[in-house]
Amino acid sequence: MVASLALFASIVVFGNLTDYQTNLVFVQHVLAMDTIFTSSTIGYRAITSPALQYAAYAIIIAAELAVALLCWAGAVQLVLHIRAEASAFNRVKTFAIAGLAAGFLVWQVGFMTIGGEWFGMWQSSHGTAFPAPSDSP
């Protein structure tokens, strides 16, 4: 489980860095809330400052990278201690637990709660911020 989240986060970071502009545009649309339902009353929450949008994207990438690094370190520690006594094995779970917790915070709090609910990302068509949706769900 720890290694699978490490792999997922690594691929996400790789994608964000190698297709930076495409993913940045997505983040900008979510933050600007320019693809939510036109009848929505939550548009006042929008962040339209390019500087803040770039900063948010940098924070997202850094958080995803932290998840990947912590989970990889945790997975290695767990594999190296797979045959150790339970007490020794439990002592080396620190990186794994930190990585899994960080992953939960990035995807549950960051994307689902803040992106999805606060910025109304769920209102965008096809579950993305592209293209502008109609007012019908």
Side-chain angles (χ1 to χ4, degrees):
M1 179 176 71
V2 177
S4 67
L5 184 56
L7 178 61
F8 173 71
S10 297
I11 291 172
V12 169
V13 170
F14 179 78
N16 283 337
L17 294 175
T18 60
D19 195 11
Y20 183 88
Q21 192 61 37
T22 300
N23 292 303
L24 171 64
V25 169
F26 175 81
V27 170
Q28 289 174 318
H29 279 294
V30 169
L31 295 177
M33 300 177 74
D34 57 0
T35 62
I36 64 172
F37 301 154
T38 56
S39 62
S40 182
T41 61
I42 64 170
Y44 69 91
R45 301 173 184 173
I47 296 174
T48 57
S49 163
L52 292 177
Q53 292 172 341
Y54 276 92
Y57 189 42
I59 291 168
I60 290 167
I61 294 171
E64 292 166 344
L65 179 60
V67 171
L69 294 174
L70 287 167
C71 283
W72 282 125
V76 167
Q77 286 295 310
L78 293 175
V79 168
L80 291 175
H81 293 84
I82 194 97
R83 299 208 188 279
E85 291 189 24
S87 60
F89 185 79
N90 287 333
R91 280 194 301 273
V92 300
K93 290 181 180 178
T94 304
F95 286 120
I97 292 169
L100 294 172
F104 178 82
L105 292 173
V106 167
W107 281 281
Q108 174 63 46
V109 177
F111 291 111
M112 294 179 72
T113 304
I114 296 172
E117 292 301 320
W118 183 257
F119 289 106
M121 191 167 62
W122 66 269
Q123 293 183 22
S124 296
S125 63
H126 310 298
T128 70
F130 305 104
S134 68
D135 280 339
S136 57

